[in-house]
Amino acid sequence: RAKSAGGNRYEMADEEADARAITRHGLTTALPAALERGEFFIEYQPLVHLGDGSVSGAEALVRWSHPQHGVLGPDRFIQLAERTGLIVPLGRWVLEESVRQACRWQERNAGDTTVPLRINVNLSPCQLTHPGLVSDTVEILERAGLAPAALCLEVTESALIGADDDLLKPLRRLAEMGVDIALDDFGTGYSNLANLRRLPVSVLKLDRSFTQGMQQFPADPVDLKIVEGIVSLAHSLDLAVTVEGVETGVQAEQLRELGCDTAQGWYYARPGPPDRLHDLALADATS
Ligand code: C2E
Ligand code: MG
Ligand code: MG
Ligand code: MG
């Protein structure tokens, strides 16, 4: 009995795998038209200064409003877009759209005391090796009239592992212009800490896996030590530290005590439409 039940489970697993493969194939072929039809949209998640809780900016997170499957998160389609090369035009669209959005926030803020909101945009490794990265970015910033210092490009640590000078050159040029480069998901790759000095990054984004150990009280003492060590290393290299995945007030308080600079997570806000972010920023400017 157990065996036949097991057999059924395997059959089910196979069917599920087939269904997933079919969906993947369908999504892949639908990607180019989706971009043309404007099915992608961006949600913004605030980044918050841990010191005083004020909003410092937001990360742009792309979603796909699929006519049959509903709203799909990036984990469902970014890899497919990378494999087909569509990530280059898609990534350019995300950059352009979120830079324009950052300008709108700044314009609406002109009359009040809110600090200018900065915008974080994720870059895929394929965009790094694409020759148009620097010129596209310059053009997008100029056309929108956004200062380069208001933009932060997030690159994952794994994309830069073993990066040679050719790969780093465009990032260096952008950094020289004043664009911030953040090392995303830091701590999940094979971090070569000595390598950090070579990279044109100004922000470390500590991966959610580190903050998870702080959800319970008391927090895992080893996690605390590791975060403390990373923060002191980062600060000694003049890097700011952002933490991802902050879900509770206990975590936020501990991360503040450990000296982290900014935080992002459900505790503050889930990713949402652009107007909500503006309201959050205004609320803490006037409170
Ligand atoms: P990421 O850059 O590390 O973004 C953070 C992810 O963590 C987001 O997932 C966000 O919704 C989620 N998150 C934020 N706060 C919390 C929290 O408190 N708890 C938990 N459990 N999760 C939290 P999302 O939106 O599904 O994006 C996943 C990944 O997709 C991103 O990870 C990023 O690598 C990639 N991605 C998103 N937008 C783009 C894009 O425009 N271009 C590229 N190349 N990649 C993108
Ligand atoms: Mg990111
Ligand atoms: Mg991240
Ligand atoms: Mg992450």
Short mmCIF file of all heavy atoms in Angstrom, two decimals, residues 11-58:
data_model
loop_
_atom_site.label_atom_id
_atom_site.label_comp_id
_atom_site.label_asym_id
_atom_site.label_seq_id
_atom_site.Cartn_x
_atom_site.Cartn_y
_atom_site.Cartn_z
N GLU A 11 4.01 9.97 -9.54
CA GLU A 11 3.29 10.36 -10.75
C GLU A 11 2.81 11.79 -10.66
O GLU A 11 2.93 12.57 -11.58
CB GLU A 11 2.09 9.44 -10.97
CG GLU A 11 2.41 8.25 -11.87
CD GLU A 11 1.30 7.24 -11.83
OE1 GLU A 11 0.13 7.67 -11.89
OE2 GLU A 11 1.61 6.03 -11.73
N MET A 12 2.26 12.12 -9.47
CA MET A 12 1.78 13.49 -9.27
C MET A 12 2.92 14.48 -9.44
O MET A 12 2.79 15.50 -10.09
CB MET A 12 1.20 13.63 -7.87
CG MET A 12 -0.12 12.92 -7.73
SD MET A 12 -1.42 14.03 -7.27
CE MET A 12 -0.89 14.55 -5.65
N ALA A 13 4.06 14.11 -8.84
CA ALA A 13 5.20 15.01 -8.91
C ALA A 13 5.60 15.23 -10.37
O ALA A 13 5.90 16.33 -10.79
CB ALA A 13 6.37 14.46 -8.11
N ASP A 14 5.58 14.12 -11.14
CA ASP A 14 5.91 14.23 -12.56
C ASP A 14 4.94 15.17 -13.27
O ASP A 14 5.34 16.02 -14.05
CB ASP A 14 5.85 12.86 -13.23
CG ASP A 14 7.15 12.10 -13.02
OD1 ASP A 14 8.10 12.70 -12.49
OD2 ASP A 14 7.19 10.91 -13.39
N GLU A 15 3.65 14.94 -12.99
CA GLU A 15 2.65 15.78 -13.64
C GLU A 15 2.85 17.25 -13.29
O GLU A 15 2.75 18.12 -14.13
CB GLU A 15 1.24 15.35 -13.22
CG GLU A 15 0.67 14.27 -14.12
CD GLU A 15 -0.58 13.65 -13.53
OE1 GLU A 15 -1.34 14.38 -12.87
OE2 GLU A 15 -0.78 12.43 -13.71
N GLU A 16 3.12 17.46 -12.01
CA GLU A 16 3.35 18.85 -11.59
C GLU A 16 4.55 19.45 -12.30
O GLU A 16 4.51 20.59 -12.74
CB GLU A 16 3.57 18.92 -10.08
CG GLU A 16 2.29 19.09 -9.29
CD GLU A 16 2.54 18.94 -7.80
OE1 GLU A 16 3.61 19.37 -7.33
OE2 GLU A 16 1.67 18.37 -7.12
N ALA A 17 5.61 18.62 -12.39
CA ALA A 17 6.82 19.11 -13.06
C ALA A 17 6.51 19.44 -14.52
O ALA A 17 6.95 20.47 -15.04
CB ALA A 17 7.93 18.08 -12.96
N ASP A 18 5.72 18.55 -15.16
CA ASP A 18 5.35 18.82 -16.55
C ASP A 18 4.55 20.11 -16.66
O ASP A 18 4.81 20.94 -17.53
CB ASP A 18 4.48 17.66 -17.09
CG ASP A 18 5.32 16.41 -17.37
OD1 ASP A 18 6.56 16.54 -17.34
OD2 ASP A 18 4.73 15.34 -17.58
N ALA A 19 3.58 20.25 -15.75
CA ALA A 19 2.74 21.45 -15.79
C ALA A 19 3.59 22.71 -15.62
O ALA A 19 3.39 23.71 -16.31
CB ALA A 19 1.68 21.38 -14.69
N ARG A 20 4.54 22.60 -14.69
CA ARG A 20 5.40 23.77 -14.47
C ARG A 20 6.23 24.09 -15.70
O ARG A 20 6.40 25.24 -16.05
CB ARG A 20 6.32 23.53 -13.27
CG ARG A 20 5.70 23.99 -11.95
CD ARG A 20 6.77 24.21 -10.92
NE ARG A 20 7.55 23.00 -10.67
CZ ARG A 20 7.22 22.10 -9.73
NH1 ARG A 20 6.17 22.30 -8.97
NH2 ARG A 20 7.95 21.03 -9.56
N ALA A 21 6.75 23.02 -16.35
CA ALA A 21 7.57 23.23 -17.54
C ALA A 21 6.73 23.88 -18.66
O ALA A 21 7.19 24.78 -19.35
CB ALA A 21 8.18 21.92 -18.02
N ILE A 22 5.47 23.40 -18.79
CA ILE A 22 4.60 23.98 -19.81
C ILE A 22 4.35 25.46 -19.51
O ILE A 22 4.43 26.31 -20.38
CB ILE A 22 3.26 23.20 -19.90
CG1 ILE A 22 3.54 21.81 -20.48
CG2 ILE A 22 2.24 23.94 -20.74
CD1 ILE A 22 2.39 20.83 -20.32
N THR A 23 4.07 25.74 -18.23
CA THR A 23 3.84 27.13 -17.86
C THR A 23 5.08 27.98 -18.15
O THR A 23 4.98 29.06 -18.70
CB THR A 23 3.50 27.24 -16.36
OG1 THR A 23 2.51 26.27 -16.07
CG2 THR A 23 2.98 28.62 -16.02
N ARG A 24 6.25 27.42 -17.77
CA ARG A 24 7.49 28.17 -18.01
C ARG A 24 7.65 28.49 -19.48
O ARG A 24 7.99 29.61 -19.85
CB ARG A 24 8.70 27.34 -17.55
CG ARG A 24 9.26 27.78 -16.21
CD ARG A 24 10.67 27.32 -15.99
NE ARG A 24 10.91 25.92 -16.28
CZ ARG A 24 10.71 24.92 -15.42
NH1 ARG A 24 10.27 25.18 -14.20
NH2 ARG A 24 10.96 23.69 -15.75
N HIS A 25 7.37 27.47 -20.30
CA HIS A 25 7.51 27.67 -21.74
C HIS A 25 6.53 28.76 -22.21
O HIS A 25 6.90 29.65 -22.97
CB HIS A 25 7.25 26.36 -22.49
CG HIS A 25 7.33 26.49 -23.96
ND1 HIS A 25 8.52 26.65 -24.63
CD2 HIS A 25 6.35 26.57 -24.90
CE1 HIS A 25 8.28 26.78 -25.92
NE2 HIS A 25 6.97 26.74 -26.12
N GLY A 26 5.30 28.66 -21.73
CA GLY A 26 4.28 29.64 -22.11
C GLY A 26 4.68 31.05 -21.69
O GLY A 26 4.55 32.00 -22.45
N LEU A 27 5.18 31.16 -20.47
CA LEU A 27 5.58 32.48 -19.97
C LEU A 27 6.73 33.03 -20.79
O LEU A 27 6.75 34.22 -21.14
CB LEU A 27 6.00 32.39 -18.49
CG LEU A 27 4.90 32.06 -17.49
CD1 LEU A 27 5.47 32.03 -16.07
CD2 LEU A 27 3.76 33.07 -17.58
N THR A 28 7.68 32.14 -21.13
CA THR A 28 8.85 32.59 -21.88
C THR A 28 8.44 33.17 -23.23
O THR A 28 8.89 34.25 -23.61
CB THR A 28 9.83 31.41 -22.11
OG1 THR A 28 10.13 30.83 -20.85
CG2 THR A 28 11.12 31.89 -22.75
N THR A 29 7.55 32.43 -23.93
CA THR A 29 7.18 32.92 -25.25
C THR A 29 6.29 34.16 -25.17
O THR A 29 6.24 34.95 -26.10
CB THR A 29 6.46 31.83 -26.08
OG1 THR A 29 5.40 31.29 -25.27
CG2 THR A 29 7.41 30.72 -26.44
N ALA A 30 5.62 34.35 -24.03
CA ALA A 30 4.72 35.51 -23.90
C ALA A 30 5.45 36.79 -23.47
O ALA A 30 4.90 37.87 -23.55
CB ALA A 30 3.62 35.19 -22.88
N LEU A 31 6.72 36.65 -23.03
CA LEU A 31 7.43 37.79 -22.47
C LEU A 31 7.54 39.02 -23.39
O LEU A 31 7.20 40.13 -22.98
CB LEU A 31 8.84 37.37 -22.01
CG LEU A 31 8.97 36.79 -20.60
CD1 LEU A 31 10.34 36.14 -20.42
CD2 LEU A 31 8.77 37.88 -19.55
N PRO A 32 8.03 38.82 -24.65
CA PRO A 32 8.24 40.01 -25.48
C PRO A 32 6.95 40.82 -25.70
O PRO A 32 6.95 42.03 -25.56
CB PRO A 32 8.76 39.42 -26.80
CG PRO A 32 9.30 38.07 -26.45
CD PRO A 32 8.45 37.58 -25.31
N ALA A 33 5.84 40.09 -26.00
CA ALA A 33 4.58 40.79 -26.24
C ALA A 33 4.10 41.47 -24.96
O ALA A 33 3.50 42.55 -25.01
CB ALA A 33 3.52 39.81 -26.74
N ALA A 34 4.38 40.84 -23.81
CA ALA A 34 3.96 41.42 -22.54
C ALA A 34 4.60 42.78 -22.32
O ALA A 34 3.97 43.71 -21.82
CB ALA A 34 4.31 40.47 -21.40
N LEU A 35 5.87 42.89 -22.70
CA LEU A 35 6.57 44.16 -22.55
C LEU A 35 5.95 45.21 -23.45
O LEU A 35 5.70 46.35 -23.05
CB LEU A 35 8.06 43.99 -22.85
CG LEU A 35 8.95 45.21 -22.60
CD1 LEU A 35 8.86 45.68 -21.16
CD2 LEU A 35 10.41 44.90 -22.98
N GLU A 36 5.63 44.79 -24.70
CA GLU A 36 5.01 45.74 -25.64
C GLU A 36 3.62 46.15 -25.19
O GLU A 36 3.21 47.29 -25.35
CB GLU A 36 4.94 45.12 -27.04
CG GLU A 36 6.22 45.34 -27.82
CD GLU A 36 6.24 44.52 -29.10
OE1 GLU A 36 5.15 44.26 -29.66
OE2 GLU A 36 7.35 44.13 -29.51
N ARG A 37 2.89 45.21 -24.62
CA ARG A 37 1.51 45.52 -24.20
C ARG A 37 1.44 46.25 -22.87
O ARG A 37 0.36 46.59 -22.40
CB ARG A 37 0.71 44.22 -24.05
CG ARG A 37 0.25 43.66 -25.35
CD ARG A 37 -0.85 42.62 -25.09
NE ARG A 37 -0.69 41.50 -26.01
CZ ARG A 37 -0.30 40.29 -25.65
NH1 ARG A 37 -0.06 40.02 -24.37
NH2 ARG A 37 -0.16 39.35 -26.53
N GLY A 38 2.58 46.42 -22.23
CA GLY A 38 2.60 47.14 -20.96
C GLY A 38 2.03 46.33 -19.81
O GLY A 38 1.35 46.87 -18.93
N GLU A 39 2.30 45.00 -19.80
CA GLU A 39 1.77 44.17 -18.71
C GLU A 39 2.63 44.19 -17.45
O GLU A 39 2.24 43.67 -16.42
CB GLU A 39 1.59 42.73 -19.20
CG GLU A 39 0.42 42.59 -20.19
CD GLU A 39 0.32 41.21 -20.83
OE1 GLU A 39 1.05 40.28 -20.43
OE2 GLU A 39 -0.49 41.08 -21.77
N PHE A 40 3.82 44.79 -17.54
CA PHE A 40 4.68 44.86 -16.36
C PHE A 40 4.37 46.12 -15.56
O PHE A 40 3.98 47.14 -16.14
CB PHE A 40 6.15 44.85 -16.77
CG PHE A 40 6.58 43.55 -17.38
CD1 PHE A 40 6.65 43.40 -18.76
CD2 PHE A 40 6.85 42.46 -16.58
CE1 PHE A 40 7.01 42.19 -19.33
CE2 PHE A 40 7.22 41.23 -17.13
CZ PHE A 40 7.29 41.11 -18.52
N PHE A 41 4.50 46.02 -14.26
CA PHE A 41 4.37 47.22 -13.43
C PHE A 41 5.32 47.12 -12.26
O PHE A 41 5.90 46.06 -12.01
CB PHE A 41 2.92 47.44 -12.97
CG PHE A 41 2.39 46.39 -12.03
CD1 PHE A 41 2.36 46.62 -10.66
CD2 PHE A 41 1.93 45.17 -12.50
CE1 PHE A 41 1.87 45.66 -9.78
CE2 PHE A 41 1.44 44.20 -11.63
CZ PHE A 41 1.41 44.44 -10.27
N ILE A 42 5.50 48.23 -11.59
CA ILE A 42 6.51 48.27 -10.53
C ILE A 42 5.86 48.58 -9.19
O ILE A 42 5.02 49.47 -9.10
CB ILE A 42 7.58 49.33 -10.84
CG1 ILE A 42 8.24 49.01 -12.18
CG2 ILE A 42 8.65 49.38 -9.75
CD1 ILE A 42 9.19 50.06 -12.67
N GLU A 43 6.25 47.80 -8.18
CA GLU A 43 5.87 48.14 -6.81
C GLU A 43 7.10 48.70 -6.11
O GLU A 43 8.23 48.35 -6.46
CB GLU A 43 5.32 46.92 -6.07
CG GLU A 43 3.94 46.54 -6.56
CD GLU A 43 3.23 45.55 -5.65
OE1 GLU A 43 3.88 44.60 -5.17
OE2 GLU A 43 2.01 45.72 -5.45
N TYR A 44 6.87 49.58 -5.16
CA TYR A 44 7.97 50.23 -4.46
C TYR A 44 7.91 49.88 -2.99
O TYR A 44 6.84 49.94 -2.37
CB TYR A 44 7.88 51.75 -4.66
CG TYR A 44 7.99 52.14 -6.11
CD1 TYR A 44 6.85 52.19 -6.92
CD2 TYR A 44 9.23 52.40 -6.69
CE1 TYR A 44 6.95 52.52 -8.26
CE2 TYR A 44 9.34 52.73 -8.03
CZ TYR A 44 8.19 52.79 -8.82
OH TYR A 44 8.29 53.10 -10.15
N GLN A 45 9.07 49.48 -2.44
CA GLN A 45 9.13 49.18 -1.02
C GLN A 45 10.06 50.18 -0.34
O GLN A 45 11.20 50.35 -0.76
CB GLN A 45 9.64 47.76 -0.77
CG GLN A 45 9.56 47.37 0.70
CD GLN A 45 10.02 45.94 0.96
OE1 GLN A 45 10.94 45.45 0.31
NE2 GLN A 45 9.40 45.29 1.93
N PRO A 46 9.59 50.87 0.70
CA PRO A 46 10.41 51.90 1.33
C PRO A 46 11.67 51.35 2.00
O PRO A 46 11.68 50.23 2.51
CB PRO A 46 9.47 52.52 2.38
CG PRO A 46 8.32 51.61 2.50
CD PRO A 46 8.23 50.78 1.27
N LEU A 47 12.69 52.15 1.98
CA LEU A 47 13.89 51.94 2.79
C LEU A 47 13.86 52.99 3.89
O LEU A 47 13.54 54.16 3.63
CB LEU A 47 15.16 52.08 1.96
CG LEU A 47 15.59 50.82 1.21
CD1 LEU A 47 14.92 50.75 -0.14
CD2 LEU A 47 17.10 50.78 1.06
N VAL A 48 14.20 52.57 5.09
CA VAL A 48 13.98 53.41 6.25
C VAL A 48 15.30 53.60 7.00
O VAL A 48 16.07 52.65 7.17
CB VAL A 48 12.94 52.72 7.16
CG1 VAL A 48 12.82 53.41 8.50
CG2 VAL A 48 11.59 52.65 6.47
N HIS A 49 15.58 54.84 7.43
CA HIS A 49 16.74 55.08 8.29
C HIS A 49 16.48 54.42 9.64
O HIS A 49 15.47 54.73 10.29
CB HIS A 49 16.94 56.58 8.55
CG HIS A 49 17.38 57.34 7.35
ND1 HIS A 49 18.63 57.19 6.78
CD2 HIS A 49 16.77 58.30 6.61
CE1 HIS A 49 18.75 58.00 5.75
NE2 HIS A 49 17.64 58.68 5.61
N LEU A 50 17.38 53.53 10.09
CA LEU A 50 17.14 52.87 11.37
C LEU A 50 17.25 53.85 12.54
O LEU A 50 16.63 53.65 13.59
CB LEU A 50 18.13 51.71 11.56
CG LEU A 50 17.67 50.39 10.94
CD1 LEU A 50 18.83 49.41 10.83
CD2 LEU A 50 16.52 49.77 11.73
N GLY A 51 18.02 54.92 12.35
CA GLY A 51 18.20 55.88 13.43
C GLY A 51 16.90 56.52 13.87
O GLY A 51 16.53 56.47 15.05
N ASP A 52 16.15 57.09 12.91
CA ASP A 52 14.94 57.82 13.29
C ASP A 52 13.67 57.29 12.62
O ASP A 52 12.59 57.86 12.78
CB ASP A 52 15.10 59.32 12.98
CG ASP A 52 15.33 59.57 11.50
OD1 ASP A 52 15.29 58.60 10.71
OD2 ASP A 52 15.54 60.74 11.11
N GLY A 53 13.78 56.22 11.87
CA GLY A 53 12.60 55.62 11.25
C GLY A 53 12.07 56.36 10.03
O GLY A 53 11.02 56.01 9.51
N SER A 54 12.78 57.41 9.57
CA SER A 54 12.27 58.16 8.41
C SER A 54 12.57 57.41 7.11
O SER A 54 13.52 56.63 7.02
CB SER A 54 12.88 59.55 8.37
OG SER A 54 14.28 59.45 8.23
N VAL A 55 11.74 57.65 6.10
CA VAL A 55 11.90 56.98 4.81
C VAL A 55 13.05 57.63 4.04
O VAL A 55 13.10 58.85 3.89
CB VAL A 55 10.59 57.09 3.98
CG1 VAL A 55 10.79 56.50 2.58
CG2 VAL A 55 9.46 56.37 4.69
N SER A 56 13.99 56.81 3.57
CA SER A 56 15.13 57.37 2.83
C SER A 56 14.98 57.17 1.33
O SER A 56 15.61 57.85 0.53
CB SER A 56 16.43 56.72 3.29
OG SER A 56 16.45 55.35 2.92
N GLY A 57 14.16 56.24 0.94
CA GLY A 57 13.99 55.95 -0.48
C GLY A 57 13.18 54.69 -0.66
O GLY A 57 12.48 54.27 0.27
N ALA A 58 13.30 54.08 -1.84
CA ALA A 58 12.51 52.89 -2.11
C ALA A 58 13.21 52.00 -3.11
O ALA A 58 14.00 52.48 -3.93
CB ALA A 58 11.15 53.29 -2.67
#
